[in-house]
């Protein structure tokens, strides 16, 4: 554990320096009001609607849970809120993370996650869970490719019908992830297969999902590079991608396949259970 914490502190220092941010807990009302406003803007909520309101943020922040912000100079440009969850007391549920991409430098999201790892390990918390849309390639690259989180389960319409501007009318299918904070970068690198030749899911010539043969060895699951742009230009095709993941992911997860990377070509790299155990 000490090796993981030492690595986490070094990674945090590098990540915050690259993004040009200062990350710290938020407890003062003024900061929490600014955080509520940031989340509302990031998710494009209509008037009268918020992602997390000030009363809940204050309750979380002042009861030992995780409420943290990233500042560029004196401006709040990113934030995260989370709370302890099962299995207690070693797991944090990271409920929401938002970054103002108009004002934040690239790498702010990475800096927030790097800080989160240090905060958790210093308190004996060894795992973080959160959900994300499996069709979001940028998030997948951070979550799996850089952090090394793995999928725990897949849920259709996890949050029901969402009303924010980013997710309205898109469904709320989510992957639940688990990030083992005790694993070092060397551990993650050793788990990644050297050469993956099979592709289970790829992007066709017209942008459509193309399914290959059922895999028995490490394989790739490619997704669109920008699902938000695809939703805007071709909602029906975007829905085909969502339907395809609903068809593919639950079975893979149920039979023990594990995601070990998200590669530079925009694909999840997954391995069968016996391969994952032997790496």
């Amino acid at each position: 554990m000490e090796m993981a914490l030492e690595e986490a502190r070094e990674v945090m220092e590098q990540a915050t320096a690259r993004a040009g941010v200062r990350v710290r807990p938020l407890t003062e009302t003024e900061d929490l009001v600014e955080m509520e406003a940031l989340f509302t803007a990031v998710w494009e909520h209509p008037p009268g609607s918020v992602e997390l309101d000030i009363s809940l943020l204050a309750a979380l922040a002042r009861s030992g849970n995780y409420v943290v912000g990233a500042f560029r100079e004196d401006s709040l440009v990113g934030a995260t809120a989370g709370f302890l969850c099962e299995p207690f007391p070693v797991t944090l549920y990271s409920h929401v993370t938002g970054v103002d991409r108009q004002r934040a430098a690239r790498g702010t999201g990475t800096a927030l996650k790097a800080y989160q790892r240090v905060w958790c390990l210093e308190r004996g918390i060894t795992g973080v869970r959160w959900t994300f849309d499996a069709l979001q390639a940028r998030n997948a690259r951070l979550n799996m490719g850089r952090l090394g989180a793995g999928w725990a389960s897949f849920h259709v319409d996890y949050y029901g019908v969402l009303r924010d501007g980013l997710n309205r009318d898109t469904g709320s299918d989510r992957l639940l992830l688990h990030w083992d904070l005790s694993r070092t970068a060397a551990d993650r690198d050793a788990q990644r297969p050297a050469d993956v030749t099979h592709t289970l899911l790829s992007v066709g010539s017209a942008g459509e999902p193309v399914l290959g043969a059922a895999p028995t060895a490490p394989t790739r699951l490619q997704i669109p590079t920008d699902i938000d742009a695809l939703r805007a230009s071709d909602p029906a095709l975007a829905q085909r991608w969502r339907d395809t993941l609903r068809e593919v992911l639950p079975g893979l997860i149920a039979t023990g396949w594990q995601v070990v990377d998200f590669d530079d070509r925009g694909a999840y790299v997954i391995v069968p259970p016996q391969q994952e155990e032997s790496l």
Side-chain angles (χ1 to χ4, degrees):
M1 191 66 66
E2 285 301 317
M3 184 179 299
L5 180 55
E6 181 180 348
E7 178 192 80
R9 287 172 173 156
E10 181 178 349
V11 169
M12 181 189 71
E13 290 178 4
Q14 294 171 352
T16 53
R18 280 195 301 268
V21 294
R22 177 173 49 92
V23 183
R24 62 172 174 83
L26 305 180
T27 57
E28 298 299 321
T29 299
E30 181 179 348
D31 287 337
L32 298 174
V33 168
E34 192 174 357
M35 184 175 178
E36 179 194 74
L38 181 140
F39 283 165
T40 300
V42 167
W43 273 272
E44 300 175 7
H45 276 276
S49 174
V50 296
E51 188 70 17
L52 285 179
D53 69 20
I54 181 64
S55 61
L56 181 55
L57 288 172
L60 290 172
R62 296 162 186 170
S63 60
N65 286 289
Y66 189 79
V67 180
V68 162
F71 290 82
R72 190 176 186 186
E73 297 178 350
D74 293 327
S75 296
L76 182 69
V77 295
T80 302
F83 44 85
L84 296 179
C85 71
E86 292 182 341
F88 294 109
V90 295
T91 312
L92 178 78
Y93 188 89
S94 186
H95 176 55
V96 60
T97 298
V99 173
D100 182 345
R101 302 199 181 278
Q102 300 300 315
R103 297 182 297 148
R106 185 174 181 179
T108 299
T110 302
L112 282 165
K113 296 306 287 187
Y115 182 93
Q116 186 175 75
R117 185 183 181 204
V118 172
W119 187 93
C120 287
L121 288 173
E122 288 179 342
R123 290 160 176 77
I125 298 169
T126 56
V128 179
R129 294 193 167 201
W130 70 97
T131 64
F132 91 109
D133 183 349
L135 284 169
Q136 292 288 349
R138 180 192 301 168
N139 291 347
R141 181 63 185 151
L142 171 60
N143 294 338
M144 280 81 167
R146 294 177 186 165
L147 302 180
W151 55 35
S153 54
F154 178 79
H155 304 267
V156 174
D157 283 333
Y158 188 83
Y159 297 109
V161 177
L162 295 173
R163 296 183 295 275
D164 62 274
L166 288 183
N167 296 291
R168 188 182 297 115
D169 301 325
T170 65
S172 61
D173 293 3
R174 295 293 184 267
L175 271 173
L176 177 64
L177 304 183
H178 182 82
W179 184 18
D180 182 352
L181 304 180
S182 67
R183 293 174 66 230
T184 64
D187 296 331
R188 297 193 299 273
D189 289 343
Q191 190 183 28
R192 294 180 172 118
D195 186 27
V196 181
T197 58
H198 187 274
T199 298
L200 173 60
L201 178 62
S202 61
V203 179
S205 59
E208 78 281 10
V210 178
L211 281 172
T216 57
T219 189
R220 300 173 68 250
L221 294 171
Q222 189 179 19
I223 60 173
T225 57
D226 190 340
I227 190 62
D228 294 329
L230 185 60
R231 286 171 183 150
S233 64
D234 194 337
L237 182 55
Q239 185 60 46
R240 282 183 62 187
W241 274 99
R242 186 164 299 285
D243 292 341
T244 299
L245 289 190
R246 286 177 175 179
E247 176 185 346
V248 171
L249 288 182
L252 291 170
I253 295 171
T255 53
W257 284 76
Q258 292 289 317
V259 60
V260 294
D261 198 6
F262 189 84
D263 66 24
D264 293 333
R265 294 177 291 167
Y268 297 99
V269 178
I270 63 172
V271 296
Q274 64 271 20
Q275 172 104 23
E276 193 269 339
E277 291 170 2
S278 65
L279 289 173

